[in-house]
Amino acid sequence: MTVFITHCWKSVQCELNGRGRTGFWLRALCVLTWLTAMACMPATAQTSANSAVEITELRLERADGALLLQSSLRIDLSNTVEDALQKGMPIYFVTEAELTRDRWYWYDKKVGAVSRHYRLAYQPLTRLWRLNVSRDPIGAVGLTSSLSQTFETLPEALAAIRRTVNWKLADLADFDADNKYTLIFKFRLDVSQLPRPFQMTAGSQAEWNLNTQKTLRITADLGR
């Protein structure tokens, strides 16, 4: 069973490298077999705990005529996700923030929004972690349109994802202290950008379930 699962995993890696020759359904069957085998293992033999994420800091600050977003996350990747990274599969994350103004007569008005898309991948030849950051989904715009950084360890790479520093969310001129505002902050592992066979199963697997959201009411004195 171990040999077969390893072979299946390598088939998925071939697809990622653009060298796959096996049919789509066979690759999907390999992935399903790997995930099923992991789920059927006894609790003492399983190699992965669930992924977890927690928002430890979230606030807005005034500076230079703008509202700036500051946030901090605690991210714990499951062993399953780390194992996929170590085998060369890129993992994608998304951070989103939105500021809305209350309107009793219609939907709340969006005052400002910001998002960051991350692609994290391990490079076995150099033994470095590469992190690409973009305002748009990296799968759509490509790596050349993103900012690239390299790190020696996984914790260092995750540290760059965890913190949001001085992200401009809105202009102070658009912020009326007499109105009520809401800050909506979201973070997630973007399963939709995983290899297609993984998309079929990862969304329902606790090891891949990494997302959080927090809503914060903005006090009137922030705009003054």
Side-chain angles (χ1 to χ4, degrees):
M1 175 62 75
T2 302
V3 174
F4 178 70
I5 294 172
T6 302
H7 172 73
C8 293
W9 181 264
K10 290 181 179 179
S11 297
V12 176
Q13 285 186 290
C14 287
E15 181 190 15
L16 296 175
N17 295 329
R19 301 192 297 271
R21 298 294 184 268
T22 311
F24 164 76
W25 289 112
L26 180 57
R27 291 195 298 271
L29 177 61
C30 292
V31 174
L32 286 171
T33 303
W34 177 70
L35 292 172
T36 302
M38 291 295 298
C40 293
M41 292 173 62
T44 55
Q46 288 189 11
T47 60
S48 59
N50 295 344
S51 295
V53 59
E54 178 186 1
I55 301 172
T56 57
E57 180 186 14
L58 180 63
R59 70 180 190 276
L60 287 177
E61 295 181 352
R62 294 181 300 165
D64 300 325
L67 291 176
L68 305 180
L69 178 68
Q70 319 288 342
S71 70
S72 182
L73 301 167
R74 181 183 63 81
I75 302 174
D76 296 321
L77 299 182
S78 68
N79 290 342
T80 299
V81 175
E82 287 196 22
D83 187 55
L85 282 166
Q86 292 284 357
K87 287 180 168 60
M89 188 173 81
I91 303 296
Y92 298 81
F93 304 93
V94 182
T95 300
E96 299 173 303
E98 181 178 286
L99 183 67
T100 62
R101 188 181 71 200
D102 293 4
R103 292 195 295 193
W104 63 268
Y105 58 89
W106 196 243
Y107 296 109
D108 293 347
K109 180 180 180 180
K110 183 188 297 185
V111 179
V114 64
S115 64
R116 290 293 185 274
H117 298 261
Y118 304 92
R119 180 187 186 272
L120 179 61
Y122 180 64
Q123 301 173 309
L125 292 179
T126 60
R127 296 184 178 180
L128 294 175
W129 295 85
R130 183 180 182 185
L131 179 66
N132 292 86
V133 185
S134 173
R135 294 182 179 179
D136 302 303
I138 295 177
V141 301
L143 297 179
T144 56
S145 300
S146 63
L147 175 66
S148 178
Q149 297 174 276
T150 56
F151 302 89
E152 293 186 356
T153 66
L154 177 57
E156 290 175 340
L158 289 176
I161 300 174
R162 288 188 178 107
R163 291 189 58 80
T164 296
V165 180
N166 293 337
W167 282 7
K168 181 180 178 180
L169 187 57
D171 291 319
L172 277 177
D174 299 326
F175 189 90
D176 184 359
D178 294 330
N179 290 307
K180 297 180 179 179
Y181 294 82
T182 301
L183 172 63
I184 305 171
F185 182 89
K186 301 177 182 178
F187 177 85
R188 73 181 188 276
L189 189 158
D190 192 358
V191 177
S192 68
Q193 296 203 60
L194 294 176
R196 189 173 299 176
F198 274 88
Q199 295 181 25
M200 301 170 59
T201 55
S204 60
Q205 297 292 323
E207 294 89 347
W208 294 90
N209 185 13
L210 188 73
N211 64 82
T212 187
Q213 176 176 331
K214 186 172 183 178
T215 300
L216 187 66
R217 295 293 287 179
I218 304 303
T219 58
D221 60 352
L222 182 63
R224 296 194 177 99

